[in-house]
Amino acid sequence: MAEWEAVIGLEVHVQLATASKLFSGSSTDFGSEPNALTDPTVLGLPGALPALNGRALELAIQLGAAVGSSIRRRSRFARKHYFYPDLPKGYQISQYDQPLCEGGAVELRGSGEARTVRLRRIHMEEDAGKSIHGARGHSLVDLNRAGVPLCEIVSEPDIRSGDEAAEFMRALRQLVRYLGVSGGDMEKGQLRCDANVSVRPAGSERYGTRTELKNINSFRFVKQAIENEIGRQTRILEGGGTIVQETRLWDADAGVSHPMRSKEEAEDYRYFPDPDLPPLEVSDEFLARVEGSLPELPAARFDRLVRDYGLSEDDARTLTQERTLADYFDRAVSAYAESSTKAASGAKALANWIQSELLRELGREGRDAASAPVSPESLAGLVRLIDDGTISGKIAKDVFAKMYASGEPAEAIVEREGLRQITDQGEIEAIAREVVEANPGQVEAYRGGKHKMLGFFVGQVMKRTGGKANPKAVNEILTRLLDAPG
Ligand code: ADP
Ligand code: MG
């Protein structure tokens, strides 16, 4: 039986995080009353003229620069015609033959082998409205989305599996959130994708006939819809059939796709330059300013954490997932380094605290690291107290819980509640003697060879000291007392 290889290219729409629409002043507030966010331009009323939102342009250029696209100094907007109730003008303003960004690539470096997905282009366009079907047999139209600024990112067909496609989407989500270009929330429709899928015999150079899957609105569905389509096409080809080039609609509830329409060709849209909008010129100064304002990107940050702090790739991946969390980590490490010479071991300890305690609490509340009740400086303070022996690691967990609840620094809690570790040998020995004297039976058992009994004595000392005795000292002292004859 032939081995088949899947070939996938994605067309991804990202909603740009602007306050107003792409060509007019209406707000982009999500969740407003239907049709509250309209104006003559959005409604396509005669005489209304579009004017480009400069912030949208800036965000689009940031995105293009971050993926290494070349930014055209001169691009233009085109009308893409189609008839649909949620598109009052009868055309969508998009870009066609002169997109803002060309080329570029996205690196996939999840847990598998690193791969590069090349990009064909990124262009700007406006979103359409939304039709809501089925209200008492009627269809309703909400134009709040109409005119919302989008970037469409078109990949080359470099993706080879549903998993890789989902990884590509995750990488884009991470990137747009780092840049602040978009919220990247698939559930809110801020990030959407159409998947072009074909299948060919492994080793073949030629692409097979593709279908385009629409309506994929979660990371899980990206993978599911593509895997389902690869399976469908493979079965047809193995049965000697041929693939029909068409657009298919993914039905997430049923877990299958249905044919929607035969693939339209570019000529069906009758693209032509929008005469209402002048050619889009990007000056060298503007481009340099936007490029200069880019933050450290996720891939560079990942590399830095591994290189400078010796973190494992898994740790670095988790910590760089969100920019706010990566910022939290960096701030904690520098606060720690200011007061300690052991910066590298501190970084590892901080990485552990963030990934276990902090992320668990934040996750419980659905909260972002930027608003964590424990500041990065406070967390560094806690780790310092463990390092210098002021508190034990076990007590530190309780202290962290109190810090999280109250927002107080570790030092204040430790002082007020008297949680300092008891390291004074004499003090520990006095308590250990009491425990030994109070338990003659256990002493006899220990001396008779039951050395496991040591754990019992350690437990008793810890109980009497509220867990504050230095465990190493307790062990040493008890061993000495118990091993001493009579
Ligand atoms: P159209 O002009 O019809 O939109 P494009 O050539 O621009 O088509 O490609 C659209 C998307 O389809 C791109 O992401 C591209 O990578 C992908 N694509 C093109 N050919 C194939 C194919 N044979 N199999 C899978 N994806 C493909
Ligand atoms: Mg296309």
Side-chain angles (χ1 to χ4, degrees), residues 11 196 210-212 214 244-247 260-266 268-269:
E11 293 168 277
N196 297 271
R210 73 181 141 126
T211 58
E212 181 172 354
K214 294 232 179 242
V244 178
Q245 181 163 347
E246 64 188 357
T247 301
M260 190 165 116
R261 56 172 185 247
S262 64
K263 173 81 185 149
E264 64 287 321
E265 298 293 336
D268 298 336
Y269 292 125

Side-chain angles (χ1 to χ4, degrees), residues 7 9-11 120 154-157 196-198 207-208 210 263:
V7 172
L10 296 184
E11 293 168 277
R120 198 170 272 184
V154 183
S155 87
E156 293 290 345
N196 297 271
V197 179
S198 65
Y207 292 139
R210 73 181 141 126
K263 173 81 185 149

Side-chain angles (χ1 to χ4, degrees), residues 163 165-175 219-220 321:
D163 274 323
E167 207 183 322
F168 178 80
M169 291 297 286
R170 286 208 177 82
L172 278 182
R173 174 176 191 275
Q174 183 190 32
L175 183 66
F219 292 102
R220 193 157 54 90
Q321 206 51 54

